[in-house]
């Protein structure tokens, strides 16, 4: 997945010149022009193949939960006609952009880019059923990173949180829906092109429909309080936080990564992998993500050491040598041969989103101006917005608040019907005119129909409702008394049609049956662990 980065590869030149006007030579390494109304960036290389990329400002965060995977489908369809080839090309769909990239001879690059745009103008929707299956297979085999759950808990079941969820849209999207999405988002006004070389290759035909430059999606929130924690995961510790996008923040990520590695691996011997990354989320903010793995017998030590490192940096005990080391590492990137060409992808992405690009001199000046005090400010900003996932024990002792496990209590509407669990008399499901509510001795989960991100619809009568806040209520007729088809019909009538996701029929042994006695799990944890298989590449 293409990631947007700050630093020399993203902050090379001034903001894009007016279309058709090259950048001044003394500002030097990147020039701007246009091809078929698409802003185009060029930079010379000292040799090798021509490489080019075509960006569109659309990604997973622009979708809804019920249409998740729509952009990915368009990407696959656009590449289908290239077939089997020795040409080095690829497509990727990230949270906020889609990227088609190619490397080869000038003729090969022209053929590839022309073919992508031709397919976008006339998608081969006869391939839709096949590509759906391919995407579902890809999804099933995709590994989940250590932070796969955090976006869902931070943002909920929309926007930037959708990268955690399965691509439900691949189950039911029609050819018309795919065509409409392509016509709206894959336009000449919502694209940028970059090419290594001094001139635009002859023969390019990137004709696309007119449209508009789409703004970045606004972030949602499912966390009422931060810093917050959740428990579970693969046994390691993962933390992310939202900070202002800056050179100081990118340097801090390096300092935090080095500190975690030093304390948890080199000194303590608790972890094998301990690292930190910095990834711009939008034009103003970035996500810093830190991770450390742990064996079961070392988990407590890793949790304690991880939090101690963050506390030390927040307290301001950052050595000048730590800052100087991170800064020196960053400055060495400016010694990259063909720096302009190396910076083209992230420079073009900044142009696409409207983020200011700096010249190398301006970026060096920013790095030189960062102080230890600036890093401490970033550390505190990170801590204030942090969400940490730890194995096992809570970390409220460190000032983190448990992320909500239950909805706020609300009394079911008078017209609601109450259906007792067949396994536990203390558990019930209320089906009302405005919401469904699962009631347990420990708390309740409510999904309002007007705040339902998606409802999985099963032929056997089950309905699984996922709220914008990521809470899940599974309405299973086999598990609740008197949950008749007429009560299911009440839900179907109130859920927005666009939120319904038809699911394939389940094997009989997949339909849940009430055991003799069943324990009660915490609400959102139950919904996520049992109902979702997160993971998105």
């Amino acid at each position: 997945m293409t990631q947007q980065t700050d630093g020399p590869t993203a902050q090379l030149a001034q903001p894009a010149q007016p279309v058709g006007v090259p950048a001044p030579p003394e500002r030097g390494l990147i020039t701007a022009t246009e091809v078929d109304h698409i802003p185009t960036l060029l930079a010379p290389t000292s040799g090798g193949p021509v490489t080019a990329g075509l960006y569109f400002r659309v990604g997973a965060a622009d979708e809804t939960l019920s249409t998740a995977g729509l952009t990915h489908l368009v990407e696959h369809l656009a590449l289908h006609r290239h077939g089997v080839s020795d040409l080095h090309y690829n497509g990727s769909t990230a949270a906020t952009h889609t990227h088609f990239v190619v490397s080869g001879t000038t003729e090969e690059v022209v053929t590839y880019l022309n073919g992508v745009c031709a397919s976008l103008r006339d998608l081969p929707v006869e391939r839709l059923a096949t590509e759906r299956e391919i995407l579902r297979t890809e999804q099933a085999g995709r590994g989940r990173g250590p932070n796969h759950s955090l976006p869902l808990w931070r943002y909920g079941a929309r926007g930037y949180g959708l990268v955690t969820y399965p691509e439900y849209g691949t189950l039911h999207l029609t050819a018309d829906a795919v065509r409409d999405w392509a016509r709206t988002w894959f336009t000449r006004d919502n694209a940028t092109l970059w090419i290594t070389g001094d001139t635009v290759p002859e023969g390019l035909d990137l004709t696309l429909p007119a449209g508009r430059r789409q703004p970045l999606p606004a972030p949602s929130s499912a966390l009422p309080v931060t810093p917050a924690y959740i428990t579970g995961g693969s046994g390691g510790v993962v933390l992310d936080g939202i900070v202002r996008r800056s050179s100081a923040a990118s340097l801090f990520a390096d300092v935090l990564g080095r500190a975690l590695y030093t304390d948890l691996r080199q000194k303590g011997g608790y972890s094998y992998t301990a690292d930190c990354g910095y990834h711009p989320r939008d034009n103003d903010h970035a996500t810093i993500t830190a991770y450390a793995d742990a064996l079961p017998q070392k988990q407590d030590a890793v949790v304690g050491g991880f939090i101690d490192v963050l506390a030390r940096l927040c307290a301001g005990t950052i050595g000048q040598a730590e800052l100087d080391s991170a800064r020196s590492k960053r400055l060495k990137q400016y010694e990259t041969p063909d720096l302009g060409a190396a910076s083209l992808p992230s420079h073009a992405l900044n142009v696409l989103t409207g983020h200011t690009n700096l010249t190398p001199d301006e970026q060096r000046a920013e790095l030189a101006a960062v102080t230890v005090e600036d890093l401490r400010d970033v550390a505190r900003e990170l801590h204030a917005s942090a969400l940490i996932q730890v194995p096992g024990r809570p970390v409220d002792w460190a000032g983190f608040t448990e992320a909500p496990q239950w909805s706020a209590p609300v009394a079911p509407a008078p017209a609601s019907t109450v259906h007792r669990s067949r396994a536990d008399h203390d558990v019930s499901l209320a089906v009302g005119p405005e919401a469904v509510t699962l009631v347990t001795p420990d708390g309740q989960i409510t999904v309002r129909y007007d705040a339902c991100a998606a409802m999985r619809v099963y032929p056997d009568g089950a309905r699984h409702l996922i709220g914008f806040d990521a809470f899940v209520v599974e309405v299973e007729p086999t598990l609740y008394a008197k949950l008749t088809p007429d009560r299911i019909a009440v839900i179907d009538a109130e859920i927005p049609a666009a939120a319904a996701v038809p699911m394939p029929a389940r094997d009989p042994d997949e339909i849940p049956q009430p055991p003799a006695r069943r324990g009660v799990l915490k609400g959102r944890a139950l919904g996520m662990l049992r109902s979702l298989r997160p993971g998105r590449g």
Side-chain angles (χ1 to χ4, degrees):
M1 181 185 298
T2 304
Q3 296 289 345
Q4 187 177 355
T5 58
D6 280 351
T9 59
Q11 309 252 8
L12 182 66
Q14 285 292 333
Q17 302 296 314
V19 171
V21 179
E26 66 273 15
R27 306 291 292 175
L29 302 176
I30 291 178
T31 57
T33 183
E34 70 170 31
V35 175
D36 293 324
H37 303 283
I38 298 173
T40 301
L41 305 179
L42 306 171
T45 62
S46 55
V50 177
T51 304
L54 181 62
Y55 275 116
F56 292 92
R57 219 308 291 144
V58 58
D62 299 293
E63 302 165 349
T64 65
L65 182 55
S66 61
T67 64
L70 185 47
T71 309
H72 201 180
L73 263 175
V74 172
E75 175 219 311
H76 269 233
L77 290 169
L79 292 176
H80 164 65
R81 293 190 177 113
H82 289 283
V84 179
S85 170
D86 293 330
L87 182 64
H88 296 287
Y89 70 89
N90 198 8
S92 61
T93 302
T96 60
H97 62 267
T98 301
H99 194 199
F100 298 97
V101 65
V102 61
S103 182
T105 66
T106 300
E107 293 75 15
E108 289 172 332
V109 167
V110 168
T111 299
Y112 171 81
L113 293 174
N114 289 357
V116 166
C117 291
S119 289
L120 289 172
R121 293 193 301 269
D122 181 22
L123 286 173
V125 291
E126 67 277 4
R127 285 277 304 178
L128 185 57
T130 301
E131 292 300 336
R132 282 176 178 170
E133 291 301 314
I134 291 172
L135 289 184
R136 288 201 286 271
T137 303
E138 177 185 341
Q139 188 175 179
R142 185 183 299 131
R144 301 187 301 180
N147 66 330
H148 69 274
S149 292
L150 297 188
L152 181 154
W153 286 85
R154 180 177 293 280
Y155 299 110
R158 52 182 164 181
Y160 297 96
L162 294 182
V163 296
T164 298
Y165 284 88
E167 294 178 331
Y168 288 128
T170 61
L171 296 171
H172 67 97
L173 289 169
T174 65
D176 285 343
V178 175
R179 286 195 194 98
D180 288 345
W181 192 257
R183 281 194 290 260
T184 301
W185 294 88
F186 289 84
T187 69
R188 70 192 191 195
D189 298 298
N190 200 38
T192 55
L193 172 69
W194 59 269
I195 306 172
T196 59
D198 294 310
T199 59
V200 174
E202 293 185 4
L204 278 179
D205 178 9
L206 308 186
T207 304
L208 290 170
R212 69 183 183 93
R213 181 62 53 86
Q214 300 283 351
L216 288 163
S220 54
S221 177
L223 287 176
V225 178
T226 54
Y229 77 88
I230 58 175
T231 58
S234 59
V237 179
V238 59
L239 174 147
D240 74 9
I242 308 302
V243 299
R244 286 164 294 176
R245 186 171 170 177
S246 67
S247 294
S250 65
L251 287 177
F252 173 79
D254 289 342
V255 170
L256 176 56
R258 176 67 66 87
L260 290 170
Y261 184 86
T262 299
D263 284 21
L264 299 181
R265 175 166 173 166
Q266 291 186 320
K267 293 181 180 179
Y270 307 134
S271 296
Y272 175 75
T273 300
D275 204 357
C276 184
Y278 170 91
H279 303 289
R281 182 190 69 185
D282 51 47
N283 287 339
D284 298 318
H285 294 90
T287 303
I288 291 179
T289 304
Y291 171 74
D293 57 9
L295 293 172
Q297 63 270 28
K298 298 291 182 69
Q299 288 175 354
D300 287 346
V302 171
V303 170
F306 194 106
I307 291 176
D308 284 347
V309 168
L310 184 58
R312 173 177 74 81
L313 300 184
C314 287
T317 53
I318 301 173
Q320 184 65 42
E322 292 178 280
L323 169 57
D324 291 342
S325 176
R327 183 159 40 210
S328 176
K329 177 183 176 182
R330 187 63 53 81
L331 288 171
K332 286 181 180 178
Q333 296 181 28
Y334 290 95
E335 301 171 8
T336 302
D338 297 331
L339 179 60
S343 75
L344 277 171
S346 46
H347 183 95
L349 190 53
N350 283 343
V351 171
L352 184 65
T353 62
H355 183 67
T356 300
N357 285 288
L358 304 180
T359 66
D361 287 344
E362 289 167 337
Q363 179 64 14
R364 289 188 189 99
E366 279 201 359
L367 291 169
V370 175
T371 66
V372 169
E373 183 66 22
D374 294 331
L375 297 190
R376 185 179 70 176
D377 290 343
V378 175
R380 291 174 173 173
E381 191 177 9
L382 173 66
H383 182 269
S385 64
L387 173 62
I388 188 171
Q389 182 172 1
V390 295
R393 301 180 184 179
V395 289
D396 46 3
W397 54 268
F400 291 81
T401 300
E402 186 178 27
Q405 304 292 312
W406 305 98
S407 304
V410 293
S416 299
T417 55
V418 177
H419 308 270
R420 297 292 177 187
S421 167
R422 299 182 188 276
D424 188 333
H425 292 302
D426 293 326
V427 176
S428 64
L429 182 73
V431 177
E434 298 178 347
V436 293
T437 299
L438 175 67
V439 180
T440 79
D442 294 329
Q444 69 180 46
I445 307 170
T446 296
V447 177
R448 291 183 55 87
Y449 304 139
D450 60 5
C452 181
M455 180 175 73
R456 298 193 292 265
V457 179
Y458 290 93
D460 54 63
R463 302 291 187 265
H464 296 177
L465 289 78
I466 306 170
F468 287 138
D469 55 9
F471 284 112
V472 180
V473 174
E474 297 183 355
V475 180
E476 292 280 358
T478 54
L479 298 183
Y480 297 95
K482 300 179 180 180
L483 194 53
T484 56
D486 65 303
R487 300 313 300 161
I488 300 298
V490 170
I491 300 173
D492 291 345
E494 297 298 332
I495 288 290
V501 179
M503 302 294 291
R506 298 185 287 187
D507 290 334
D509 58 358
E510 292 179 328
I511 299 174
Q513 301 297 328
R517 190 78 177 169
R518 188 171 189 169
V520 179
L521 296 178
K522 287 186 175 181
R524 194 188 295 183
L526 173 62
M528 286 196 300
L529 295 177
R530 193 175 67 196
S531 303
L532 300 180
R533 290 178 294 175
R536 171 74 187 258

